[in-house]
Amino acid sequence: MKKFLACCVCLIVIYLIGDYLYYTKGVYFNLQPPTVLTNVKSEGKQLYLRVGEEYENFEIKGVDMGAGISGHFATDYAITKEDYLRWFQYIQDMGANTVRVYTILSDDFYEAVYEYNKNRETPLYIIHGLWVNDYTQYSRRDAYHPDFLDTMLKDSKTLVNVIHGKCNLLLGAGIGSGSYRRDISPWVIGYILGVEWEDVTVAYTNHMQKDKNSYQGNYMYTTPEATPFEAMLAQVGDKIIAYETRRYGTQRLVAFSNWPTTDPLDYPENVVTYFKKMEKVDVEHIKTTENFMSGTFASYHIYPYYPDYLSYVGDSSQYLDDTGRVNTYQAYLKQINNYHTVPVIISEFGIPSSRGMAQRDKNTGRHQGGISEMQQAQALVDCYEDIKAAGCAGSVIFTWQDEWFKRTWNTMHAVDLLKTPYWSDYQTNEQYFGMLSFDPGKKESICYVDGDVSEWKSVKPFATDGVLSLSAMYDEKFIYLLIHKGGLKETDQLYLPIDTTPKSGAIACDNYGISFDRSADFVLAINGRSNSRLVVQERYEVLRAMFYQETHGLDAYENPPPVNTTLFKPINLLLQTAVPLENTLLHEKQFSEIYETGLLTYGNANPESKQYNSLADFCYGEDYLEIKLPWQLLNFSNPSEMKIHDDYYLHYGVEYIKIKEMHMGIAEKTAEQPAISLKPFKLKGWHHRVTYHERLKPAYYAMKKLWNSSTDG
């Protein structure tokens, strides 16, 4: 019996060791070289997909899919298999044929791909990314450093094993985890290796590793014109092809991530100087041998609004599209496509339907934010048609789902970056690129600003001046206000002072000649459909505190505004919009462009309405006025815990304090304006207990109509 038990224990130990070596460490034995198969290949400027025994022309019509879902960071990998299965059906119904993911996800994703595709005559294909995390790229500027190159080589083998269902991954590696046992390789048509390369990383690598400008592999090699960085890419590409060919006998398309910052085109000196365009990554310097059956494509992330190099190159009339408008986006796409001898895939293009904006597209109005969901829908259609007109072989929309955890350079100073998944920040454009929205509320939002006040029936007013009354409620995205007055007219001028912080505020607002019975930090001034706005006391203006040097060339902390100043300022956001180059080269002082984000938009914000305008901030009903304000507009850094900005001038920047109530009042403009009384409104955070429901945006239906009406691809 003892020998039997000992044998059983030995067998179990041997099995566990073998399992660990095979699935975790990737140890394998390949005694006979396999026959190499591929289901997709590139020839000339086109992609071809195997259908039966033949190859047919294949246009990639795809969507990018991130790892985020409301209430979680991307690194939580909280999306379930059921979520993926539901989304895959939506995506294929839309007419897309491909999903692109950026990194190894949890095993739920691969289980879902397998289950969705296994019995499907027309499957949903996958383009899989190989991620390089920000820390590695920013801390290891030399791409040949072991933490950079060796990690890419190691991760590439892991990626191959994952898609073939022969891998175990543990948490803590910065990528998904689980037991990967589903072979989804038949539906993975290609890899995109790397990320949007930092030009400094490329330049530093090329400078420090000048003798490593050549790579000659069995599947990929470099031309004499290659740079050290390009040789590094060729090595990574060659190694992933070699490993998959040797172990699994399969090959698929391989591409390297790129974007305009490191594109291979030549520009005039003024553009190079202004945009600090210091380096190129040119995949034309990376060639393939006859051993690689699948081939390559050129992958680019290209958006309409930045960097719009061509707006500063020559006469704009040379960039007219078929409609007669200046369209530097289409012109740039054509230049990129014409440069390459391989198929070009625009693997990211998109427009965010956010309230906050970061950059303008001055030619076509496809801005980075500040556009409605209906405008987003049209912009995506226009971008796709530009991509097709440029002759590209495919495109992938960024992105499938909105992601609450995302940050943006011109708002990240204003929010608690450790708590972003727990509220929907309408001022941060990066959160709203999706075609699938996560709206607060389990089945519907608690309020829609549409003139219908039925959802307010059980909400009692907390402030009144005898004629006007004010009610409020809130969710993970907005604070909603309802003003009631018998016989309310759109010509009535109304003032709604708001006190949030005990650290500053004023008992009067010189702008409108009004006063209050306690210090107020904001004033909401309603003055018709086109001239209503939220203004902020100058002391509590975050733009001044954080970007006064950029907007005025001055130090905000040398002469700070008084704590009780009665000057209120428009609420603005900084834009990353290029100024005229001729002025810059003449050394004239240039300040960053701003726009008034506190200006309110009138309209109907109910998605079910035919007049739907997602940007609508206020709407009149009979005797009522409904208003919604995004939390960040009121200097909330984390409403899930009711944290707001502290006094900037006590901390030399943004710090947080927690509040349990805010005070608001309401009054109508009169000849003799009495002090407006502010009443308390209680606040309680929801912490991590977020609610949300899915909603397909107009962009989804616009692309569905476009793609399902197409007969090619």
Side-chain angles (χ1 to χ4, degrees):
M1 177 61 73
K2 290 182 179 180
K3 289 183 178 180
F4 175 76
L5 292 175
C7 289
C8 289
V9 170
C10 289
L11 290 173
I12 292 172
V13 170
I14 291 171
Y15 171 79
L16 292 174
I17 292 174
D19 183 271
Y20 173 76
L21 292 175
Y22 187 73
Y23 288 108
T24 303
K25 304 303 291 184
V27 175
Y28 73 101
F29 298 99
N30 189 1
L31 301 179
Q32 182 177 357
T35 301
V36 180
L37 301 174
T38 184
N39 290 326
V40 63
K41 63 180 181 178
S42 66
E43 288 184 1
K45 303 277 286 186
Q46 299 297 322
L47 299 179
Y48 295 88
L49 182 73
R50 183 192 293 273
V51 180
E53 297 300 318
E54 303 293 330
Y55 282 94
E56 296 182 358
N57 185 275
F58 182 70
E59 178 197 349
I60 292 174
K61 298 177 182 177
V63 293
D64 294 298
M65 184 176 288
I69 196 167
S70 299
H72 297 275
F73 282 101
T75 49
D76 293 338
Y77 299 100
I79 303 173
T80 67
K81 184 176 81 169
E82 290 70 27
D83 292 328
Y84 285 125
L85 288 170
R86 181 174 64 257
W87 295 352
F88 291 163
Q89 189 65 63
Y90 286 151
I91 290 168
Q92 197 161 37
D93 288 347
M94 184 176 64
N97 54 33
T98 306
V99 170
R100 178 203 179 187
V101 295
Y102 293 86
T103 188
I104 296 171
L105 302 174
S106 71
D107 52 4
D108 278 348
F109 173 78
Y110 305 88
E111 292 281 346
V113 171
Y114 180 83
E115 184 172 322
Y116 185 82
N117 280 337
K118 63 180 179 180
N119 296 319
R120 196 171 293 269
E121 183 177 349
T122 303
L124 193 61
Y125 295 101
I126 305 296
I127 295 177
H128 211 301
L130 178 70
W131 189 253
V132 177
N133 66 50
D134 290 344
Y135 177 78
T136 297
Q137 187 166 190
Y138 286 114
S139 64
R140 301 288 183 259
R141 293 296 192 185
D142 183 352
Y144 284 89
H145 189 284
D147 289 350
F148 198 113
L149 178 56
D150 291 358
T151 300
M152 284 192 73
L153 294 173
K154 177 184 176 183
D155 289 348
S156 68
K157 290 184 178 181
T158 301
L159 172 56
V160 170
N161 292 334
V162 163
I163 71 163
H164 285 276
K166 289 181 170 53
C167 191
N168 290 337
L169 282 179
L170 302 177
L171 283 171
I175 52 180
S177 64
S179 297
Y180 299 85
R181 296 293 183 271
R182 296 298 190 185
D183 182 2
I184 69 163
S185 62
W187 308 296
V188 178
I189 59 175
Y191 302 120
I192 297 178
L193 309 180
V195 294
E196 295 175 340
W197 305 115
E198 288 296 319
D199 49 7
V200 175
T201 302
V202 178
Y204 187 78
T205 301
N206 290 339
H207 177 74
M208 297 299 293
Q209 303 288 351
K210 293 180 181 179
D211 61 335
K212 295 182 179 178
N213 62 339
S214 177
Y215 178 81
Q216 306 297 314
N218 290 328
Y219 303 95
M220 283 189 169
Y221 65 94
T222 57
T223 67
E225 299 79 19
T227 65
F229 191 87
E230 291 158 359
M232 181 276 299
L233 293 180
Q235 181 179 351
V236 175
D238 183 67
K239 296 296 186 183
I240 193 172
I241 299 166
Y243 180 74
E244 186 166 23
T245 302
R246 185 171 60 251
R247 181 167 185 181
Y248 297 104
T250 59
Q251 294 178 354
R252 63 203 75 250
L253 298 166
V254 171
F256 304 99
S257 187
N258 208 351
W259 61 323
T261 299
T262 51
D263 73 24
L265 305 182
D266 294 320
Y267 296 95
E269 183 180 352
N270 61 342
V271 173
V272 173
T273 300
Y274 182 77
F275 286 99
K276 297 180 175 62
K277 196 174 187 315
M278 64 181 70
E279 273 296 350
K280 302 177 180 180
V281 174
D282 190 347
V283 297
E284 291 295 319
H285 297 159
I286 301 173
K287 301 298 183 179
T288 61
T289 71
E290 61 183 9
N291 296 326
F292 185 36
M293 300 166 55
S294 295
T296 64
F297 62 90
S299 170
Y300 285 92
H301 301 173
I302 302 179
Y303 296 82
Y305 37 76
Y306 185 83
D308 188 6
Y309 299 135
L310 298 190
S311 288
Y312 307 95
V313 178
D315 182 3
S316 61
S317 63
Q318 66 182 304
Y319 303 127
L320 301 181
D321 60 19
D322 291 341
T323 67
R325 68 176 176 176
V326 176
N327 189 343
T328 52
Y329 183 64
Q330 185 183 113
Y332 179 74
L333 289 165
K334 287 181 177 179
Q335 289 188 12
I336 288 291
N337 187 61
N338 292 339
Y339 181 84
H340 286 287
T341 60
V342 296
V344 173
I345 306 299
I346 308 306
S347 48
E348 272 192 23
F349 76 97
I351 304 289
S353 61
S354 58
R355 191 180 189 281
M357 176 170 54
Q359 297 169 114
R360 282 196 175 107
D361 169 21
K362 64 181 181 181
N363 293 319
T364 62
R366 300 176 225 169
H367 309 312
Q368 187 180 3
I371 68 170
S372 70
E373 291 180 4
M374 297 298 290
Q375 292 170 316
Q376 178 198 35
Q378 186 60 53
L380 286 182
V381 169
D382 291 345
C383 285
Y384 175 76
E385 291 178 342
D386 284 343
I387 292 167
K388 287 283 288 181
C392 298
S395 56
V396 188
I397 297 172
F398 184 85
T399 183
W400 170 244
Q401 78 271 32
D402 285 346
E403 294 181 298
W404 290 8
F405 75 91
K406 289 285 187 71
R407 60 184 68 180
T408 298
W409 66 269
N410 69 341
T411 59
M412 60 189 295
H413 62 276
V415 300
D416 181 352
L417 297 176
L418 298 179
K419 304 292 181 168
T420 51
Y422 310 122
W423 59 294
S424 181
D425 182 10
Y426 207 20
Q427 293 293 101
T428 293
N429 74 81
E430 285 288 339
Q431 296 188 12
Y432 294 91
F433 274 92
M435 292 184 286
L436 179 72
S437 175
F438 297 125
D439 293 347
K442 292 182 179 180
K443 294 184 178 180
E444 61 181 15
S445 297
I446 61 171
C447 181
Y448 296 103
V449 172
D450 57 1
D452 177 0
V453 298
S454 57
E455 65 264 48
W456 291 91
K457 289 180 180 179
S458 60
V459 181
K460 295 181 179 179
F462 69 92
T464 180
D465 71 348
V467 177
L468 294 157
S469 65
L470 178 64
S471 306
M473 54 182 168
Y474 58 86
D475 60 19
E476 291 92 337
K477 190 173 183 179
F478 299 111
I479 181 166
Y480 303 92
L481 304 171
L482 181 69
I483 299 171
H484 174 259
K485 174 194 172 186
L488 180 67
K489 301 187 295 294
E490 292 189 20
T491 55
D492 292 342
Q493 295 185 39
L494 308 175
Y495 299 115
L496 197 161
I498 303 171
D499 172 32
T500 55
T501 171
K503 296 293 187 71
S504 59
I507 60 171
C509 173
D510 293 343
N511 309 51
Y512 302 114
I514 55 178
S515 60
F516 326 112
D517 66 354
R518 64 178 292 139
S519 294
D521 304 294
F522 300 89
V523 172
L524 182 59
I526 303 298
N527 185 18
R529 295 190 177 194
S530 60
N531 196 34
S532 296
R533 55 178 38 84
L534 184 71
V535 295
V536 62
Q537 189 212 24
E538 187 181 24
R539 176 84 177 191
Y540 207 39
E541 182 193 2
V542 67
L543 184 75
R544 184 191 194 282
M546 299 303 296
F547 295 109
Y548 208 46
Q549 186 68 47
E550 288 81 358
T551 60
H552 291 77
L554 299 172
D555 187 339
Y557 298 91
E558 284 188 353
N559 295 292
V563 173
N564 59 353
T565 177
T566 54
L567 176 63
F568 283 66
K569 303 291 292 292
I571 300 176
N572 296 304
L573 268 180
L574 201 69
L575 293 176
Q576 189 172 330
T577 305
V579 295
L581 287 178
E582 60 272 19
N583 292 341
T584 303
L585 295 178
L586 290 172
H587 306 292
E588 294 182 8
K589 192 119 183 172
Q590 298 293 324
F591 298 123
S592 297
E593 185 181 358
I594 59 175
Y595 83 100
E596 187 180 2
T597 187
L599 186 67
L600 303 186
T601 298
Y602 183 82
N604 188 318
N606 191 329
E608 299 299 320
S609 171
K610 293 182 179 179
Q611 291 78 41
Y612 175 53
N613 179 1
S614 59
L615 293 179
D617 299 305
F618 69 114
C619 187
Y620 286 96
E622 187 175 355
D623 297 335
Y624 290 96
L625 174 62
E626 281 186 296
I627 306 165
K628 62 179 174 67
L629 298 175
W631 288 105
Q632 194 198 127
L633 204 62
L634 292 169
N635 288 350
F636 277 80
S637 59
N638 172 20
S640 71
E641 297 176 4
M642 292 303 164
K643 290 182 179 179
I644 63 170
H645 296 181
D646 201 349
D647 189 326
Y648 310 118
Y649 301 96
L650 296 179
H651 302 283
Y652 295 94
V654 178
E655 297 291 342
Y656 317 133
I657 57 173
K658 188 173 183 177
I659 59 174
K660 295 183 178 180
E661 63 184 12
M662 57 196 298
H663 291 75
M664 293 181 281
I666 183 66
E668 186 175 0
K669 182 176 178 62
T670 60
E672 295 183 6
Q673 192 81 45
I676 303 173
S677 177
L678 279 68
K679 302 298 183 183
F681 175 69
K682 298 295 183 182
L683 298 170
K684 184 179 180 181
W686 53 88
H687 297 273
H688 297 181
R689 298 182 297 275
V690 303
T691 64
Y692 66 90
H693 61 281
E694 296 178 356
R695 175 176 59 84
L696 294 168
K697 296 183 188 178
Y700 172 85
Y701 297 102
M703 293 308 300
K704 181 177 182 179
K705 179 179 179 181
L706 179 66
W707 276 347
N708 281 294
S709 66
S710 175
T711 58
D712 58 330

